[in-house]
Amino acid sequence: MDIRLSVTKKQKIFIDSDYDEVLFGGAAGGGKSYGQVVDAFIFALKYPRSKQLILRRTFAELEKSLIRTSLALYPKDIYSFNSTSHTGKFKNGSIIDFGYCATENDVYQYQSAEYDLVRFDELTHFTESQYVYLISRVRGATCFPKQIKSSTNPGGIGHSWVKARFVDPAPPNTPFLGRDGMERVFLPSFLADNRFLCEGDPNYKKRLLSLPEKEQKALLHGDWNIFDGQYFSEFSTAKHVCDPFEIPREWRKWRTVDYGLD
C-alpha cells in the first residue's frame, strides 16, 4: 500500500524524535495535534502489535479533535475504530486507545495497562501527578521504543510544572538529561511553521491578534513567561534577561525585596 502524508518540517522533527520524553508545540496553529495523529499512525504501522494511548483531559475533547482527524486520515482498509471501547485497531495488530483523565482518580483506569507509547495532547491541561502516574504505564517486554510524546500550548492548570520540566532546563530543540535519568527535549512550533494552515486560512493570524494580551502571548507567540496576576505583563526573556557574567567590582549594586504580603 502506497500511503503519502504531507507534514511540516517541525512535525517531521517531532515524528523523528526518539528521546524518552518529547514536548511539541507552543503557539496555536503550529500543527501539533496533527503531528501527533500522523506520528501515531507511522508508529503503529512500523511496529506491528504495538500499543499506544492518546490522552486528553475529557473524552469530548478527543472526539472533536484527534479521533475525528484520525478517522479522516487513516485508511479504512487497514484501520477501524470501536466507538464503544474507544480503541482503534490496525490490521497488523497494533492498537491505539483514546483515553481521558478528567479527575485525579481517572488515572487508575489504566492501572494494569501496558503501552509502548503514551501521548498527551494539550499537556498543560493535566496535573503533574496525572502525568507522572501515567508515564509509569509505558512498559512492556517488546523491543519497541518506549516514549512519552506530548503537545501543548502555554497556559492552563499545568503550565508551571510543564515549563519547569521541559522549557526551563535547556534551550529549545536541545536534548537534556533530567535528574531522574530521562532524556527530554522541547520542540517549539509556531503558526508560521505551518504552511498548510497559513495558506488555507490566511486570516487566522488576524484572529489571534484580536485576543487579549495574555492569550495573544501564549497562542500567537508561544510565550511561556505568562502568569496569572503578573504585574509586568510586558516581561520578555529575550528583552529583559541576559547571559550570566561577572559583575565589575566598581559597579554600584542595588538590592530589592518583595515580601509578597498582599
Side-chain angles (χ1 to χ4, degrees):
M1 176 182 293
D2 184 21
I3 302 174
R4 297 173 181 265
L5 299 171
S6 295
V7 296
T8 67
K9 290 182 180 179
K10 291 292 182 70
Q11 289 168 339
K12 182 67 163 55
I13 293 172
F14 171 68
I15 292 167
D16 291 340
S17 294
D18 57 0
Y19 305 106
D20 298 319
E21 297 179 51
V22 181
L23 179 65
F24 179 49
K32 59 188 186 303
S33 295
Y34 184 80
Q36 285 275 32
V37 171
V38 172
D39 190 27
F41 180 60
I42 294 172
F43 189 93
L45 296 185
K46 187 175 182 179
Y47 302 104
R49 305 190 69 81
S50 61
K51 300 175 183 177
Q52 299 181 74
L53 172 64
I54 299 180
L55 291 158
R56 284 292 298 260
R57 192 65 195 244
T58 68
F59 189 73
E61 292 171 321
L62 273 175
E63 285 186 307
K64 292 178 174 63
S65 56
L66 282 83
I67 290 177
R68 190 174 294 175
T69 302
S70 63
L71 287 172
L73 181 67
Y74 298 172
K76 293 180 176 56
D77 52 345
I78 63 169
Y79 175 81
S80 62
F81 178 72
N82 187 311
S83 58
T84 301
S85 63
H86 310 147
T87 298
K89 295 184 178 181
F90 292 82
K91 279 195 171 181
N92 67 356
S94 293
I95 67 166
I96 299 176
D97 284 335
F98 291 86
Y100 68 94
C101 281
T103 69
E104 290 293 313
N105 288 335
D106 282 337
V107 298
Y108 299 116
Q109 299 177 85
Y110 312 98
Q111 191 167 12
S112 60
E114 293 185 359
Y115 293 102
D116 300 295
L117 206 156
V118 171
R119 301 177 183 276
F120 290 84
D121 193 45
E122 295 300 346
L123 182 58
T124 56
H125 291 186
F126 294 84
T127 65
E128 186 173 14
S129 60
Q130 287 175 320
Y131 180 82
V132 171
Y133 181 85
L134 287 164
I135 66 175
S136 71
R137 303 304 88 199
V138 178
R139 56 181 182 164
T142 67
C143 59
F144 305 152
K146 302 293 187 288
Q147 290 182 276
I148 305 95
K149 303 185 86 169
S150 305
S151 47
T152 199
N153 299 127
I157 61 169
H159 175 93
S160 295
W161 76 261
V162 173
K163 182 175 182 288
R165 190 179 186 95
F166 290 97
V167 181
D168 291 341
N173 305 301
T174 305
F176 64 93
L177 203 63
R179 293 182 179 179
D180 54 5
M182 299 283 277
E183 197 168 19
R184 302 185 178 101
V185 68
F186 167 53
L187 306 173
S189 181
F190 303 94
L191 175 60
D193 297 318
N194 189 353
R195 61 181 177 85
F196 303 109
L197 181 56
C198 290
E199 293 171 2
D201 186 1
N203 287 325
Y204 182 56
K205 183 176 181 179
K206 296 178 182 178
R207 293 194 291 275
L208 291 178
L209 285 168
S210 69
L211 291 170
E213 183 179 9
K214 179 183 174 183
E215 285 75 14
Q216 188 181 132
K217 289 176 70 174
L219 299 180
L220 180 59
H221 304 295
D223 188 349
W224 287 87
N225 293 307
I226 56 171
F227 306 95
D228 286 329
Q230 180 176 335
Y231 186 82
F232 296 105
S233 59
E234 70 275 15
F235 175 81
S236 165
T237 300
K239 293 180 180 179
H240 304 119
V241 176
C242 66
D243 294 330
F245 66 97
E246 187 174 350
I247 299 176
R249 294 185 64 181
E250 66 272 16
W251 283 19
R252 180 175 294 181
K253 302 176 180 65
W254 299 86
R255 293 181 176 89
T256 61
V257 176
D258 180 358
Y259 289 102
L261 298 178
D262 294 334

